[in-house]
Structures are given as C-alpha cells and as structure tokens.
Amino acid sequence: MDRAVARRFLVLRHLLAPPRAMRAEPESVLRVMDRLGSLQFDPLEIAGRNHDLVLLARIAGYRREWTDHWLYEDRRLYETYNKGLSIVPVAELPWFRLTWDQNHAEHTGGAFDEHAPLVEELLARIREGGALLPRDVGPRAAIDWYWRPTNQVRAILEALAEAGVLGIARRQGNLRIYDLAERLFPAELLADSRPEWEQRRHRLLSRYRGGGLLGTGGQAELWYGTAAGTSGQLAARTASERSALRGELVERGDLIPVTVEGFKSQRFVVGTELKLLEKAEREVAAGGPPGGVDPGVAFLAPLDPFCWDRDLLRRLFDFDYVWEVYVPAAKRRWGYYVLPILYGDRLVGRIEPRIERRARTLRVVGMWWEDGFDPLAEDGFAPAFAAAVAAHRDFGGMTRVVFPRTMRHRPFLTEVRAILGR
C-alpha cells in the first residue's frame, strides 16, 4: 500500500473517521475495546486520564462513568498488566493471567514470606469485612518497594493484586479499593488455565490489535509485557521468540503481512480488518475524505494506540511526537501534557489542554501547528477544531474555555470563539 492508503487505513480502523462518531452510550466503550483490545491506564489526570481521552476521541458525549461502570460494576472490563497497566476484557482473563502467575511466583519466597503475618491479617480483614482501602488499615513501617520506600500495607496489598489474589473492586479517585479476586471474577474464568505459549501469543496479538499497523521492531515499550522473564523485568522478548509467535499468528490468519511504501520491513494488519484496508484504498483512489464525511478534529491521548509506534508517526505522518511529561521542564520542546491534533488523516499540530476543576475551566495552555499548516486556510478546520474543544469542555464538566493570549493565534481563535459562542 502507498503512504496515503496506510494513513487512511489507520484512521478508519482506529474509529477516528470521523472522530466521536460512535453513539453516546456506555456500550460504545465495549465496541472500542472490541476493536483495540487493550487501553493503557495512566492515572495522571491533567486533561483527563489516558484511557478516557482515547474514548473521548471516538465516542460522542463520552463520560468517564461509562468506563467505570464496566470496570467496577458490571465488570466486563478489568485492570491488569499488558502494555503497562491496562484495561482489557474480563472474557480474555485466561489469556492475560500469566502476569498474575509470574508475580505470584516472584512474591512467594519474597514479600509474601517476609511479611507473612501482614499478608494473613490483610486477607482476613477482607474476607470478613469486605473490600478494603489501604489507608483504612493503621500505619505500619515502611518497606523498600519498586520505586521507593512505602507503607507496608500499601505494598503488600499491591503485591496481592499483582499476584491475582486480590483485584480492584473500585477506585476512590486514584486510590485502589481491594477485594478477593474470587468475589470479582467468574469462577470458570479463574479456573481456566491456558498454556504459557498460548497466552504469550495472545498478548503479542493484542499489540497488533492496538496499533493496527505495527512491524517487527520499534521502541522497546511497544513489546512490554511480552517478555520471557517476569513481568517486573519488562524486557522485550528476544527477536527469535517473537518471530516464532508472530509466525504462528500469520499462519492462523490472525495477522496479514503487508508492505508500505517507504518501509523496508513488513508491517502487519489484523486479519479481520482487510475490508477496512480495501475501503481505505477505494477512498483514496476516489479522492474522498476519511469515512466519506467532512474531516473532523481529535485530540489524541499520549498513550492512544494510534500513537504507540512513534517511528511510524514520524515516517508515515511526518510527525515527531515525544510525550514530555517525564522530561525536565527546561528541556521540553513543547509542554508537560501535550496532545497531537488529528485532522482527517493528517497530524497537523499539538495542543496542551488542562482541566481546572475549581475554576470549572478548560484552559488551553499552548497550541502549535506543523510547518506548512495554516488553520485559517483550511476550509472547515475552525468548526472541526471548535467541536473537539467543546467535546473536551463538556467531558470535563467545565463551563468555559480559556485560550492562550498569543498574537499568532489571535485571528484563528477569534473565529473559534465565535463558533463556541454560537
């Protein structure tokens, strides 16, 4: 396929042609999960949590309560480790439990034995008293944990959840409330044990389901969780092991190898998405817009599956995206929590929105356009941009929007403000 078809295919299969086209209902969350398979859960909430921003870009009128319902009430989804902490379907639990089993083996003989009395105390409290918030247990001495010394109670509860003994019953803000896994998940799923190789193959497929056009390499974090070692190591599988798993997926028809103009190595399309590839070819040949409708604007989450493969963004979209949240302020090129701006099947700029709940304000800290892109010269861009801003404002429950007071943005923002005012 040529580059134009590849770009069109990606926005079609990522449910972004146009953005926010899915119905304004909780069931749309499950439809997005059916397509993408896994969403990264990052609790940092500047413009919204990562998975909420992914869903906001695809679902009209999206509300965070919809995903929380499927996670903590109906329990069709759950939190586990895939590509980092992720949300995956509960129905796929037997193919993701490898992380639980590895962590259970790692903590047994380690934290579980070293702190056996506390383990028993916490499990007894949960068995007898129900779901438990860590701070409801009296303070204990600190323990050296993954990132820094922390309270023993918090560490051991986290370890028990990593091992699949506990699960997350619900969240209070970002605080986890734990309960026994046996109370949260169907017994038949907990008893379903799949061979390790089968689980690894499924997990590798989940990356291709998420990305849509991944290759065989790229940055290491693309393959986190598919490592042969324990989950704590987060090491990439060796090339030979990944190649063997990928070969099986191709043989089964789960993945289809494709070549893309300008790329030496193969890329892979999920086998069920060939019709979307054909649709992309027809649209590009006919010169029509993505999805056959006027192009829309979406603000993409930093860990949106569309953005997973940074090298693909650079080479296919000529867009160099670095999430600078962990970059020291003095070294940032753009800003702290900057989102790519998708317009149709082009990445045309960046925006840094912040939800300020006390002031009930969506504040746009900064905007940057790609070289050669003039937002005023693009017919239809201003109303599409305003629609994306309004969707973000409404998602956050904000009552007003504040834009940066920069001369170079003034003509464009004057038009956007007028549209928002209407």
Side-chain angles (χ1 to χ4, degrees):
M1 69 181 86
D2 64 29
R3 293 163 59 87
V5 170
R7 289 191 292 267
R8 182 64 56 89
F9 166 72
L10 281 174
V11 297
L12 286 170
R13 66 89 48 193
H14 274 280
L15 304 170
L16 292 167
R20 299 176 301 281
M22 305 195 74
R23 291 180 181 177
E25 59 186 16
E27 288 74 14
S28 289
V29 173
L30 300 180
R31 297 185 190 109
V32 174
M33 291 299 302
D34 285 342
R35 174 64 59 83
L36 302 180
S38 177
L39 296 180
Q40 284 183 257
F41 189 119
D42 187 275
L44 187 61
E45 192 163 3
I46 305 300
R49 298 173 299 181
N50 179 76
H51 66 277
D52 288 323
L53 296 179
V54 173
L55 295 164
L56 174 62
R58 293 158 172 84
I59 302 173
Y62 172 73
R63 295 293 179 264
R64 60 183 290 164
E65 293 81 11
W66 297 351
T67 304
D68 289 348
H69 167 78
W70 299 119
L71 279 169
Y72 311 124
E73 296 175 26
D74 194 273
R75 300 197 186 281
R76 299 274 291 278
L77 307 173
Y78 79 112
E79 299 177 37
T80 191
Y81 283 88
N82 184 25
K83 185 179 179 290
L85 182 61
S86 299
I87 298 171
V88 302
V90 166
E92 297 182 25
L93 187 153
W95 291 272
F96 282 107
R97 66 172 304 140
L98 179 60
T99 301
W100 284 359
D101 296 339
Q102 289 178 330
N103 283 323
H104 198 287
E106 184 177 346
H107 290 310
T108 300
F112 290 166
D113 284 358
E114 293 170 17
H115 304 276
L118 181 57
V119 170
E120 289 305 316
E121 176 191 342
L122 294 173
L123 290 177
R125 289 185 65 143
I126 294 173
R127 287 192 196 100
E128 296 167 9
L132 181 68
L133 183 65
R135 68 184 182 192
D136 290 341
V137 182
R140 308 295 168 86
I143 181 177
D144 285 333
W145 205 230
Y146 297 128
W147 60 93
R148 67 177 189 273
T150 191
N151 185 284
Q152 285 186 25
V153 171
R154 176 185 175 186
I156 296 304
L157 286 171
E158 185 175 294
L160 288 166
E162 290 174 347
V165 179
L166 301 179
I168 299 175
R170 60 188 183 276
R171 284 178 178 260
Q172 185 174 303
N174 278 326
L175 299 177
R176 304 174 186 182
I177 299 175
Y178 297 98
D179 203 347
L180 299 174
E182 62 202 56
R183 292 175 179 162
L184 304 178
F185 303 107
E188 60 272 20
L189 288 180
L190 291 175
D192 190 348
S193 179
R194 301 293 170 133
E196 180 177 330
W197 188 260
E198 183 180 332
Q199 292 189 56
R200 293 196 184 283
R201 185 175 62 208
H202 182 85
R203 188 164 298 199
L204 184 62
L205 177 60
S206 78
R207 300 310 158 83
Y208 290 97
R209 288 174 65 192
L213 199 58
L214 298 184
T216 60
Q219 65 268 28
E221 56 264 30
L222 279 173
W223 313 111
Y224 280 176
T226 62
T230 61
S231 61
Q233 291 174 322
L234 294 177
R237 287 186 67 92
T238 64
S240 61
E241 289 174 317
R242 263 208 315 271
S243 179
L245 289 166
R246 191 185 308 109
E248 291 184 7
L249 291 169
V250 171
E251 185 177 354
R252 291 155 52 101
D254 294 328
L255 293 180
I256 307 296
V258 297
T259 56
V260 181
E261 174 191 9
F263 291 78
K264 292 182 180 179
S265 59
Q266 286 181 324
R267 295 269 159 173
F268 297 86
V269 171
V270 176
T272 56
E273 297 180 2
L274 288 181
K275 289 185 178 180
L276 286 174
L277 180 54
E278 294 167 359
K279 181 178 181 180
E281 292 171 340
R282 291 194 301 269
E283 285 189 0
V284 170
V293 298
D294 291 340
V297 166
F299 305 144
L300 301 179
L303 301 174
D304 192 303
F306 190 96
C307 302
W308 278 0
D309 191 341
R310 303 290 201 251
D311 182 58
L312 183 65
L313 292 187
R314 281 191 294 269
R315 297 170 63 189
L316 192 59
F317 292 89
D318 298 318
F319 190 83
D320 187 16
Y321 180 58
V322 177
W323 189 29
E324 295 182 311
V325 69
Y326 299 114
V327 175
K331 296 184 178 181
R332 290 182 194 133
R333 184 180 179 188
W334 308 109
Y336 179 68
Y337 204 93
V338 172
L339 314 180
I341 300 174
L342 179 74
Y343 178 50
D345 56 7
R346 293 183 290 164
L347 290 168
V348 300
R350 303 153 207 266
I351 187 169
E352 186 175 10
R354 294 185 182 179
I355 292 175
E356 299 179 350
R357 298 198 180 280
R358 289 186 178 180
R360 302 198 68 187
T361 297
L362 175 66
R363 183 176 300 278
V364 178
V365 179
M367 299 188 306
W368 303 265
W369 308 116
E370 290 294 279
D371 291 342
F373 181 79
D374 182 348
L376 282 173
E378 291 282 341
D379 186 33
F381 179 75
F385 181 87
V389 171
H392 210 123
R393 176 199 63 200
D394 296 344
F395 158 73
M398 304 295 101
T399 57
R400 66 176 188 145
V401 181
V402 174
F403 292 104
R405 297 182 178 276
T406 307
M407 285 297 298
R408 61 191 176 90
H409 293 313
R410 183 169 294 175
F412 172 67
L413 290 179
T414 296
E415 185 170 343
V416 169
R417 286 189 183 97
I419 296 169
L420 289 172
R422 293 197 293 269

